[in-house]
């Protein structure tokens, strides 16, 4: 035992010495910004338990401290945002609890040639179950803590001849209910030729990920390389190789892979607009995710940058699940900023596996909206069966995700800014398909915000939000939940250190499972004191 203690002390001293040698010199020349604050938030809700009837109101009081700090030096960049609060619930003090969130990142340049040490910590609270309440927060009380820790290295080099970007990191994700826990490594390598190369061109994009949770593990690899000749014409030939493999003891040892090679050409339509087109042949006898033979296919991509502030990239190809697409667009001018992205990726061991289960079967009135409080279990009471229907209520639980899933995600953000008014539009749409049973869940959300600076010390925001979630799409257990949110917020600076926020909000949930419908109104008053 003494030897183990001494070894631990020696390792701790060594780690401290290394850390000190890395930090000492840059710290002396850095700039440190530290902004602490305290806050008090009072929120009145007229339906804290989110019931359709028998609504219960509550005053939720939150008090806490927040820290926002950053350190910038020649070789170090460090950021930390942290908040700790305690919440009191007037309707049920058994719910009183403390909550903590942290978001931090660190980058240390180890050598001037591009090698850096990176680290990230993120502790936040999310909706425990999107099917039960997609808008869960501290007020409704049905959130869960998710902790994410990441550390690793990155190596980036950009010059006239080539660019090379790579990283390797270890990630550990822990949730409060142990669903979605996972740890593992991820490595990425991306490279392409620069303007200083005149004979050949290449692009390389690859990633390798290894994740595990208890006895389950998965390896996911994806890589594409193009190697071509630069000619004096606008048509440049190239060879293409693509390889993807997903395997492990996930989904009954399911293996999903695609491997192909091909030849094509790059057409330089203009110096800023290029089109890649290739014909590809599968390698080996691997079947696609539907059990069919993989066939020859055409792959194409475009890269267009008409100006320094505008860029468009898009691709069409084929992977083990069929046609595959990607899209990215960015544009910025004096007032308008646009960003649109569409990606497709394979995931496993997440918190996105929703399984339907029966809440029970009841006799419910066959007129008007169905309320569980007006329904009966057979044998409970004598009533006229002609006025009742037999109804089965279902809900969804989150279970351990031990299947591969295909996730398609679209994000769109647009901002239009004027001197005193800003309009912001955020759109998120995603589809998750279980690659074992091909069941799909769809999630979409749209936020539109108008922010108006009414004076030098006051600002008012109007926000409209719409959320649409579908679980087990096109099945007998399909459920669709729609949330509509309306919010107005007034922010007033009382002096250089004290600020006041006053907001009014309304939420309406409409579900085809009427048991979960509700409306909630909130009034919030917040005081913030900076130091």
């Amino acid at each position: 035992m003494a030897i183990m203690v001494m070894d631990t002390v020696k390792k701790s001293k060594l780690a401290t010495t290394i850390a000190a040698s890395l930090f000492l010199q840059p710290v002396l020349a850095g700039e440190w910004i530290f902004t602490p604050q305290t806050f008090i938030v009072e929120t009145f809700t007229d339906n804290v338990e989110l019931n359709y009837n028998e609504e219960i109101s509550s005053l939720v009081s939150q008090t806490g401290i927040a820290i926002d700090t950053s350190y910038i030096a020649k070789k170090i960049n460090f950021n930390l945002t942290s908040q700790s609060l305690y919440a009191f619930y007037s309707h049920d003090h058994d719910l009183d609890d403390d909550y903590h969130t942290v978001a931090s990142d660190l980058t240390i340049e180890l050598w001037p040639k591009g090698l850096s040490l990176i680290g990230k910590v993120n502790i936040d609270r999310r909706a425990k179950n999107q099917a039960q309440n997609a808008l869960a927060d501290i007020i409704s009380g049905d959130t869960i803590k998710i902790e994410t820790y990441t550390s690793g290295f990155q190596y980036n080099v950009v010059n006239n001849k080539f660019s090379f970007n790579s990283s390797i990191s270890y990630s550990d994700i822990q949730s409060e209910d142990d669903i979605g826990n996972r740890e593992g490594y991820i490595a990425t390598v991306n490279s392409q030729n620069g303007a200083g190369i005149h004979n050949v061109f290449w692009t390389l994009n690859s990633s390798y990920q290894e994740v595990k949770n208890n006895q389950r593990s998965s390896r996911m690899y994806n890589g594409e390389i193009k190697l071509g000749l630069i000619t004096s014409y606008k048509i440049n030939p190239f060879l293409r190789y693509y390889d993807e493999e997903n395997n492990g003891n996930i989904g009954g040892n399911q293996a999903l892979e695609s491997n192909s090679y091909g030849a094509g050409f790059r057409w330089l339509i203009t110096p800023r607009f290029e089109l890649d087109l290739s014909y590809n042949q599968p390698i080996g006898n691997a079947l696609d995710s539907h059990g069919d033979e993989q066939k020859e296919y055409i792959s194409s991509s475009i890269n267009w940058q008409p100006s320094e502030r505008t860029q468009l990239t898009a691709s069409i190809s084929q992977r083990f699940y069929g046609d595959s697409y990607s899209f990215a667009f960015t544009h910025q001018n004096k007032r308008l900023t646009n960003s649109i992205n569409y990606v497709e990726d394979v995931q496993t061991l997440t918190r996105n596996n929703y399984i339907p289960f029966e809440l029970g079967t009841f006799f419910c009135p066959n007129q008007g909206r169905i309320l569980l409080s007006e329904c009966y279990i057979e044998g409970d009471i004598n009533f006229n069966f002609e006025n009742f229907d037999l109804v089965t209520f279902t809900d969804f639980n989150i279970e351990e995700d031990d299947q591969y899933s295909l996730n398609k995600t679209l994000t769109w953000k647009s901002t239009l800014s004027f001197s005193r008014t800003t309009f912001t539009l955020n759109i998120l749409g995603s589809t998750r398909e279980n690659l074992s049973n091909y069941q799909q869940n769809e999630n979409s959300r749209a936020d539109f915000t108008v922010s108006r600076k009414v004076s030098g010390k006051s600002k008012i925001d109007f926000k409209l939000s719409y959320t649409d979630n579908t679980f087990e799409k096109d099945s007998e257990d399909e459920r669709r939940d729609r949330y509509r949110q309306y919010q107005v917020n007034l922010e007033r600076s009382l002096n250089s250190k004290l600020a006041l926020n006053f907001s009014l909000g309304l939420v309406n949930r409409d579900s085809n499972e009427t048991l979960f419908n509700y409306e909630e109104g909130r009034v919030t008053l917040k005081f913030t004191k900076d130091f």
Side-chain angles (χ1 to χ4, degrees):
M1 177 65 70
I3 294 175
M4 294 178 63
V5 172
M6 290 301 297
D7 287 342
T8 303
V9 172
K10 290 179 180 179
K11 292 178 181 178
S12 300
K13 289 183 177 179
L14 177 60
T16 303
T17 303
I18 294 174
S21 64
L22 290 174
F23 277 95
L24 183 57
Q25 184 175 354
V27 165
L28 295 177
E31 178 184 1
W32 190 283
I33 301 175
F34 183 73
T35 308
Q37 64 177 213
T38 61
F39 59 87
I40 298 175
V41 185
E42 298 290 343
T43 302
F44 174 80
T45 169
D46 62 2
N47 189 8
V48 68
E49 295 186 349
L50 309 180
N51 298 320
Y52 177 75
N53 59 350
E54 300 179 0
E55 299 176 353
I56 298 176
S57 61
S58 179
L59 178 65
V60 182
S61 303
Q62 303 173 58
T63 179
I65 60 174
I67 296 174
D68 189 357
T69 183
S70 63
Y71 176 77
I72 302 176
K74 183 178 180 181
K75 296 184 178 181
I76 296 179
N77 192 326
F78 171 73
N79 299 285
L80 170 66
T81 301
S82 177
Q83 179 177 277
S84 297
L85 64 87
Y86 197 90
F88 304 84
Y89 301 82
S90 65
H91 73 290
D92 186 357
H93 285 291
D94 289 337
L95 300 175
D96 296 354
D97 204 351
D98 58 311
Y99 301 92
H100 310 278
T101 60
V102 175
S104 179
D105 62 86
L106 170 68
T107 302
I108 303 176
E109 183 181 327
L110 302 179
W111 281 280
K113 294 297 184 179
L115 181 62
S116 300
L117 172 68
I118 57 175
K120 291 184 179 180
V121 176
N122 191 75
I123 302 175
D124 65 353
R125 304 200 69 87
R126 306 174 191 173
K128 184 176 182 179
N129 187 324
Q130 291 276 342
Q132 294 178 0
N133 184 13
L135 307 182
D137 57 12
I138 291 177
I139 306 301
S140 58
D142 43 2
T143 63
I144 192 168
K145 181 172 67 173
I146 307 291
E147 303 178 33
T148 305
Y149 304 92
T150 304
S151 63
F153 298 90
Q154 63 181 18
Y155 181 69
N156 301 319
V157 177
V158 179
N159 55 44
N160 188 45
K161 295 186 179 298
F162 68 91
S163 65
F164 182 85
N165 302 283
S166 63
S167 67
I168 181 170
S169 60
Y170 170 81
S171 178
D172 185 10
I173 300 176
Q174 301 291 328
S175 62
E176 203 169 1
D177 59 1
D178 294 328
I179 299 177
N181 291 355
R182 63 186 185 274
E183 60 178 323
Y185 298 87
I186 181 170
T188 62
V189 176
N190 301 287
S191 178
Q192 66 178 18
N193 62 289
I197 300 296
H198 304 290
N199 298 319
V200 297
F201 68 90
W202 71 85
T203 58
L204 168 64
N205 299 285
S206 64
S207 67
Y208 174 83
Q209 185 175 6
E210 185 173 314
V211 295
K212 64 179 181 179
N213 180 21
N214 296 325
Q215 302 301 317
R216 294 170 300 166
S217 63
S218 172
R219 293 172 297 277
M220 295 175 283
Y221 168 75
N222 184 306
E224 179 191 47
I225 184 171
K226 295 178 184 178
L227 178 62
L229 297 176
I230 298 177
T231 69
S232 57
Y233 304 98
K234 292 185 177 182
I235 303 295
N236 299 314
F238 67 83
L239 299 176
R240 177 181 183 267
Y241 176 73
Y242 180 79
D243 187 22
E244 179 176 8
E245 186 173 354
N246 306 274
N247 58 43
N249 58 357
I250 299 292
N253 298 321
Q254 184 180 24
L256 304 170
E257 58 184 274
S258 55
N259 193 352
S260 62
Y261 69 94
F265 63 87
R266 173 170 294 177
W267 178 20
L268 300 178
I269 302 174
T270 70
R272 291 179 173 268
F273 190 9
E274 59 187 35
L275 167 67
D276 287 2
L277 191 66
S278 64
Y279 177 82
N280 301 269
Q281 175 74 35
I283 301 175
N285 300 317
L287 303 178
D288 63 19
S289 59
H290 298 277
D292 299 325
E293 179 183 359
Q294 299 188 36
K295 299 180 180 180
E296 302 87 353
Y297 64 93
I298 301 294
S299 175
S300 64
S301 64
I302 61 171
N303 187 348
W304 184 31
Q305 189 174 2
S307 67
E308 293 183 355
R309 295 185 174 185
T310 304
Q311 184 172 11
L312 169 66
T313 60
S315 68
I316 302 175
S317 187
Q318 197 168 95
R319 296 167 65 180
F320 63 85
Y321 54 82
D323 294 335
S324 173
Y325 305 90
S326 69
F327 181 86
F329 173 74
T330 58
H331 171 71
Q332 182 179 1
N333 58 31
K334 183 178 179 180
R335 299 192 182 279
L336 180 64
T337 300
N338 278 303
S339 176
I340 305 174
N341 289 277
Y342 174 80
V343 295
E344 298 177 353
D345 65 331
V346 178
Q347 298 179 9
T348 188
L349 301 180
T350 68
R351 291 185 59 86
N352 301 323
N353 187 32
Y354 289 87
I355 305 299
F357 72 96
E358 290 189 5
L359 290 172
T361 301
F362 305 86
F363 284 100
C364 301
N366 55 19
Q367 296 180 352
R369 184 183 295 272
I370 298 176
L371 301 176
L372 187 59
S373 59
E374 300 176 357
C375 300
Y376 304 94
I377 300 176
E378 184 178 7
D380 280 356
I381 193 172
N382 295 322
F383 51 83
N384 186 355
F385 285 93
E386 294 181 356
N387 299 325
F388 288 79
D389 291 330
L390 192 62
V391 179
T392 299
F393 292 100
T394 61
D395 200 359
F396 291 83
N397 271 336
I398 299 179
E399 294 188 3
E400 290 287 351
D401 183 10
D402 60 352
Q403 310 288 336
Y404 288 109
S405 63
L406 172 62
N407 297 265
K408 303 177 180 180
T409 305
L410 171 69
T411 58
W412 181 351
K413 181 177 182 179
S414 295
T415 303
L416 179 62
S417 300
F418 297 96
S419 58
R420 300 174 66 90
T421 307
T422 301
F423 300 89
T424 304
L425 174 66
N426 283 291
I427 296 176
L428 172 64
S430 64
T431 299
R432 178 186 183 273
E433 180 181 8
N434 187 315
L435 292 174
S436 294
N437 58 21
Y438 309 108
Q439 194 60 61
Q440 291 187 357
N441 294 339
E442 293 184 349
N443 306 90
S444 59
R445 180 180 176 89
D447 299 317
F448 179 69
T449 305
V450 180
S451 180
R452 173 72 175 178
K453 189 176 182 180
V454 295
S455 69
K457 294 184 177 182
S458 300
K459 185 182 71 169
I460 189 168
D461 298 329
F462 300 92
K463 184 177 181 180
L464 303 176
S465 300
Y466 177 75
T467 302
D468 194 333
N469 296 335
T470 302
F471 301 92
E472 296 285 307
K473 184 179 180 182
D474 298 328
S475 74
E476 61 180 8
D477 295 315
E478 177 180 332
R479 194 177 87 201
R480 185 180 182 186
D481 300 324
R482 286 170 288 188
Y483 302 80
R484 297 171 178 86
Q485 294 174 272
Y486 314 90
Q487 183 175 336
V488 57
N489 181 74
L490 174 63
E491 180 180 334
R492 173 74 176 178
S493 178
L494 302 179
N495 55 46
S496 60
K497 299 294 184 179
L498 186 62
L500 167 68
N501 286 72
F502 176 76
S503 66
L504 299 173
L506 176 66
V507 177
N508 173 273
R509 175 177 177 174
D510 182 22
S511 174
N512 61 335
E513 193 74 79
T514 56
L515 172 66
F516 302 103
N517 293 346
Y518 72 85
E519 282 191 357
E520 181 197 15
R522 292 184 183 180
V523 180
T524 302
L525 185 64
K526 179 179 180 180
F527 290 93
T528 303
K529 171 66 176 178
D530 293 334
F531 294 94

